[in-house]
Amino acid sequence: MTSDLSIVKSGLIGRMEEVCRQLLPDGRLEGGQWVSFNPVTSDYRPGRLPALKVRISGGDIGAWIDWRSGDKGDALGLVAYILTGDRRNAKETLAWGRDFLGLTRMSREERAALQRNAEQHRIRRDRDAEKARQRKLQSADRLFFAKPSTTETGPALCPQGTFALGENSPAERHALAYLAARAVDFSAIANVNRLSFRFSPATEWWKGATWKTDGGRKYKAERGPMFPAIHAAMRNAMGIVTSCHVTFLDPIAPKKAPVTPAKLMWGEARGAVIEIATGPSAKPYWQADVAGICDPLIIAEGIETAGSFAAPCPEARCWAGGSLAGVMHAPAGLDCVEWILFARDNNAGNASAQKQFEAALEALEQHGKRVVVEASHVGDDFNDLARGEV
């Protein structure tokens, strides 16, 4: 009965994590998304990261995309895709959904009650998701401006807090040595945005924490390892910190910490960027936009890649998006952006990254400004070129 469509869809959305655990049992929950390899394309390879991502909480629940194959859709399309390989196969989806939700054993009155309950659950879920989102945004700001504490700041313990750029703290000197080893010399950058960086002597790598559940309550049983770290502010179009980008460093040598991944983000990175250099005006982009100042923009995924341009290109402001998705949603439509140079990573042979690059480029071009794409002829990115690596 196609009349069940709305009931099935709302029921699946209301139990999206259960749906994913049943259809994608080898996946895992990461930051409000169910992340998995794709059983339809059999894309698992040793050392390869999963590219199929399903929204479980926050945003459009049930929305999914496989960054490797390009397939995407909603909750109904996910079920159809996993079951049949065709996200438009409504017949199989409805049959599975009715069975999953127990609709086949319900009377008309019970189905109507289920639909009412699903709508009430959606309202509560949206309300709770917004409250959780606001808490996470606040904790991202606190993590960037961390104060000394014996308890977690957001996801991580940061016992000594963070120190501002220019305070010449030991944490800052260690971080600047790391950046210099990556051919990013802050002392050579004309107008570093000092509001973008703080330095921590010790931040918990929260991915390494051990979690347990007791009586239905999930708690952190053991904290992750501690490392020196660069805390970078990801700010939205108004200059508000919505996410904290953390680069974990080796405690002795000027290199990344021996963990994977060595860079984590906490908060809401969509629509936010790390401004490394402000260009000749010395005004951060949210102030330059109000003041009517317009400069070229150089944007890249990572801090090191964008930072490689900051010293030799003082006439432009430089942003790091944190990822290709970050570049895609960057506030490049602001009036302070004259035109855009997109310094892309090469990612040779990475089909998923190529699709994300194409999506990012299309999004930048939609701002109606001239976009120039440059890729290094050496290594994976311009930072490799700056360091003379082949």
Side-chain angles (χ1 to χ4, degrees), residues 278-299:
T278 59
S281 73
K283 290 184 178 293
Y285 61 85
W286 58 91
Q287 293 179 4
D289 196 62
V290 175
I293 297 168
C294 189
D295 298 309
L297 168 66
I298 299 171
I299 189 168

Side-chain angles (χ1 to χ4, degrees), residues 132-156:
R133 174 177 175 266
Q134 292 301 325
R135 287 195 299 270
K136 194 166 189 178
L137 287 171
Q138 292 167 5
S139 66
D141 181 86
R142 287 197 299 269
L143 181 60
F144 176 66
F145 292 105
K147 300 289 191 293
S149 177
T150 57
T151 59
E152 281 83 0
T153 302

Side-chain angles (χ1 to χ4, degrees), residues 327-351:
V327 173
M328 179 166 60
H329 298 293
L334 291 173
D335 291 340
C336 64
V337 175
E338 180 182 4
W339 62 276
I340 304 164
L341 188 148
F342 182 4
R344 66 164 298 186
D345 294 352
N346 283 313
N347 293 313
N350 189 331

